Amino acid sequence: MKRPHIILLFFLIANLHCFALDHIILRNGQAFDVKLHQITDEAVSYSLNGDNDAAIESIPSKDVYMVYIEKQGNVYMTPDGKRITGEDKRVDRKKFDAIYLVSGHEIGAKNIKVTEDAIIYTPIKKGGILSNILGSSNSGGRRAFSNQEVFMIRYKSGMTDVITPFDIVDEPEEEVKDIKKEDPQYVIFYHSVKKGQSLKKIAELYNATVTQIIEWNGLPKNTPPTAPLTAGKQLTIYLPK
């Protein structure tokens, strides 16, 4: 008698897994769910439907504002393709609006008001703690960013509003074609630093070098290999396929 319930449970779990997707936001404001395969300084490789067997497409890293890796976190891309680790969890897009900063941050918000000079909003709690990047103070608990600080607003309705567009530098078509032919050789992994862990310990854990981890995450080159890192910090790791 309980078998139908068991079948239904497996069906729901399978569907939840199917909907667990990564996400890309481009520097022109376009955004879509994907399955990420590889990130390099030159390109971001992905499949559109989240199927590992689907055709892999690529887009130049310079055209990407942010990638979100499911259950891992946000990664922001600089114009030269460097990666900056961001929030470990996205703002719930069904419940709240989100403000994306030019500097690379996702801010949960509500009651957003766009004026000629500023974006005024009420911050939301995220993980029980208010974001430490809130903008300047306003009356009644309201906060504000200047228009020049805000790249885009994503409303929970699904609409996006690009406030300060990025300048996109076009590349020759031939170079883009070469990027699309690349076969990703690595998979992306995010390591959440545990208390007392150092670069040396993490490098040994993933059979990588301290220098590689520093380069992958844009850390200062003089970071002591044995010095404990901040617990909870997210590090990008590239594992060979």
Side-chain angles (χ1 to χ4, degrees), residues 153-168:
I153 300 171
R154 187 209 70 222
Y155 296 96
K156 60 184 179 181
S157 65
M159 187 190 85
T160 58
D161 184 6
V162 177
I163 305 298
T164 304
F166 290 99
D167 292 329
I168 304 299

Side-chain angles (χ1 to χ4, degrees), residues 140-151:
R142 300 275 279 166
R143 297 277 176 164
F145 288 109
S146 69
N147 285 355
Q148 290 75 25
E149 293 178 282
V150 176
F151 158 49

Side-chain angles (χ1 to χ4, degrees), residues 106-239:
E106 184 184 45
I107 310 296
K110 56 185 179 180
N111 304 321
I112 296 176
K113 181 180 180 181
V114 179
T115 71
E116 184 177 351
D117 302 312
I119 309 299
I120 304 170
Y121 70 102
T122 302
I124 64 167
K125 288 186 177 181
K126 190 175 180 182
I129 302 175
L130 280 172
S131 172
N132 58 2
I133 305 173
L134 297 174
S136 59
S137 299
N138 207 323
S139 59
R142 300 275 279 166
R143 297 277 176 164
F145 288 109
S146 69
N147 285 355
Q148 290 75 25
E149 293 178 282
V150 176
F151 158 49
M152 181 179 77
I153 300 171
R154 187 209 70 222
Y155 296 96
K156 60 184 179 181
S157 65
M159 187 190 85
T160 58
D161 184 6
V162 177
I163 305 298
T164 304
F166 290 99
D167 292 329
I168 304 299
V169 180
D170 292 329
E171 288 185 353
E173 184 66 21
E174 293 181 0
E175 293 186 21
V176 175
K177 287 182 178 179
D178 288 340
I179 290 174
K180 290 185 178 181
K181 292 178 182 177
E182 291 180 358
D183 182 22
Q185 299 299 313
Y186 298 89
V187 292
I188 308 164
F189 183 78
Y190 261 65
H191 177 85
S192 181
V193 176
K194 296 179 176 58
K195 185 177 180 180
Q197 281 189 326
S198 64
L199 286 176
K200 183 180 179 182
K201 288 182 179 180
I202 295 171
E204 292 173 350
L205 185 63
Y206 294 101
N207 196 26
T209 67
V210 170
T211 300
Q212 285 176 319
I213 296 178
I214 288 175
E215 291 178 350
W216 291 337
N217 295 276
L219 301 175
K221 293 183 179 180
N222 60 351
T223 302
T226 58
L229 300 174
T230 302
K233 181 178 180 63
Q234 300 284 316
L235 294 176
T236 303
I237 305 292
Y238 287 91
L239 301 177

Side-chain angles (χ1 to χ4, degrees), residues 53-96:
D53 296 326
I56 296 177
E57 302 183 34
S58 293
I59 189 167
S61 296
K62 69 178 183 62
D63 294 342
V64 177
Y65 166 73
M66 185 201 84
V67 297
Y68 168 74
I69 304 174
E70 180 67 23
K71 297 181 181 179
Q72 306 279 355
N74 291 342
V75 182
Y76 297 94
M77 311 289 287
T78 63
D80 58 353
K82 302 300 181 183
R83 297 171 290 283
I84 301 173
T85 302
E87 301 81 11
D88 59 0
K89 187 177 181 181
R90 292 194 71 198
V91 173
D92 189 332
R93 36 188 168 169
K94 292 183 179 180
K95 295 182 179 179
F96 304 106

Side-chain angles (χ1 to χ4, degrees), residues 98-109:
I99 297 172
Y100 295 93
L101 302 186
V102 172
S103 59
H105 287 287
E106 184 184 45
I107 310 296

